[in-house]
Amino acid sequence: MEVKKNPKADLNRDSGLFFVIGLALALFITWRALEHKTFPSEEQFVEILEVTEDLKEEVPITETINTPPPPPPPQAPEIIEIVEDAAEIEETVIESTEINQETVVEEVVKVDDVEVAELEEEISVPFSVIENVPIFPGCENLTDNEERKACFQDKVQEHIIREFKYPPVAIELGIQGRVYVQFVIDTQGHITNVRTRGPDVGLEQEAARIIASLPQMTPGKQRGRAVRVPYNIPVIFKLQ
């Protein structure tokens, strides 16, 4: 049986070619769309400075002050009188105080007339090794040195508890800690050289005040001689 249809009238003959062409166009358009870039327009501003050459300066009008000329100097008198000075002036003679080889020294100081004063050296003996510890008021009846040491320490603790006042500023700020106090009992029994070291200045001042208020004691002795006795004690400030 013969085909009666004309081969040129077949619509599917070139469909593959058209598909490839359409695909190529679509890819080309997509590529151009992706590569397309836009740039914002930049506006340029030009500042122009105008300078005027014709500058006129206004000079203020001032008033001239006429000052009078200074007065002429006084004229010398026509006749000059010469007065004779008849007063006699006594000249003061200043004698030289320099000493030369011909000067004789009449007064001779004898060696026996020179008094040599002995300078007593203050000796410091630690509290733990001193022969006779300082006696706190109220511990005089004790004769043993160890008992006097224990009494001294107890009396100092009682004095600290009795005189203790927590600084109000330290209470508000919540400051607490241990203040180390070092002081010296001198040869007269007085408290001297109070030194403190602690976490706060207010606590150090309060500890120094308490120790400085200790009463006068009987000074410590080493080999029968009054000596300086250093002593260390901690003062604890604690908030409850």
Side-chain angles (χ1 to χ4, degrees):
M1 182 176 179
E2 295 180 358
V3 180
K4 296 182 179 180
K5 191 174 181 180
N6 190 358
K8 294 181 179 181
D10 187 5
L11 298 178
N12 294 327
R13 183 180 59 180
D14 299 327
S15 59
L17 178 61
F18 294 150
F19 175 76
V20 173
I21 295 173
L23 181 61
L25 290 174
L27 292 175
F28 177 77
I29 294 172
T30 304
W31 173 71
R32 293 302 300 171
L34 293 175
E35 292 293 330
H36 181 68
K37 295 181 180 179
T38 58
F39 299 93
S41 58
E42 297 180 358
E43 296 181 359
Q44 297 181 353
F45 297 92
V46 180
E47 296 182 358
I48 300 175
L49 177 63
E50 295 182 358
V51 180
T52 305
E53 296 181 358
D54 187 9
L55 296 177
K56 294 182 180 180
E57 183 179 0
E58 296 182 0
V59 180
I61 301 173
T62 57
E63 182 179 357
T64 304
I65 300 175
N66 297 323
T67 56
Q75 297 180 357
E78 297 179 356
I79 302 173
I80 300 175
E81 297 180 0
I82 299 175
V83 179
E84 296 182 358
D85 190 3
E88 296 181 357
I89 300 175
E90 296 181 358
E91 296 182 358
T92 303
V93 179
I94 301 174
E95 297 180 357
S96 175
T97 58
E98 294 183 359
I99 297 175
N100 50 25
Q101 295 179 355
E102 298 177 356
T103 305
V104 179
V105 180
E106 296 181 357
E107 293 185 3
V108 178
V109 180
K110 297 181 180 180
V111 179
D112 297 337
D113 297 338
V114 179
E115 296 181 358
V116 179
E118 294 183 359
L119 180 61
E120 296 184 359
E121 181 181 359
E122 293 186 355
I123 302 174
S124 297
V125 180
F127 184 84
S128 58
V129 298
I130 191 171
E131 293 179 355
N132 298 322
V133 296
I135 302 174
F136 200 97
C139 304
E140 295 86 357
N141 297 329
L142 301 176
T143 57
D144 186 65
N145 196 47
E146 295 298 328
E147 292 179 355
R148 287 180 177 179
K149 284 184 180 180
C151 182
F152 178 90
Q153 294 172 354
D154 294 339
K155 291 293 185 180
V156 171
Q157 292 289 346
E158 292 176 1
H159 176 82
I160 293 174
I161 295 173
R162 183 173 59 255
E163 298 292 331
F164 183 84
K165 294 180 181 179
Y166 214 110
V169 178
I171 296 176
E172 294 178 1
L173 299 177
I175 301 174
Q176 57 184 355
R178 186 187 302 265
V179 179
Y180 296 92
V181 185
Q182 180 183 9
F183 61 95
V184 176
I185 305 169
D186 63 4
T187 56
Q188 302 297 326
H190 298 288
I191 305 299
T192 59
N193 296 339
V194 180
R195 299 179 182 179
T196 58
R197 180 169 58 88
D200 181 69
V201 178
L203 302 184
E204 292 180 357
Q205 293 177 352
E206 177 61 20
R209 184 194 66 81
I210 295 172
I211 298 301
S213 63
L214 285 170
Q216 185 179 1
M217 310 175 192
T218 303
K221 294 183 180 180
Q222 185 73 10
R223 297 180 181 180
R225 179 182 175 184
V227 295
R228 292 158 47 94
V229 181
Y231 190 79
N232 300 325
I233 186 172
V235 180
I236 301 174
F237 292 83
K238 187 175 182 180
L239 296 173
Q240 296 180 356

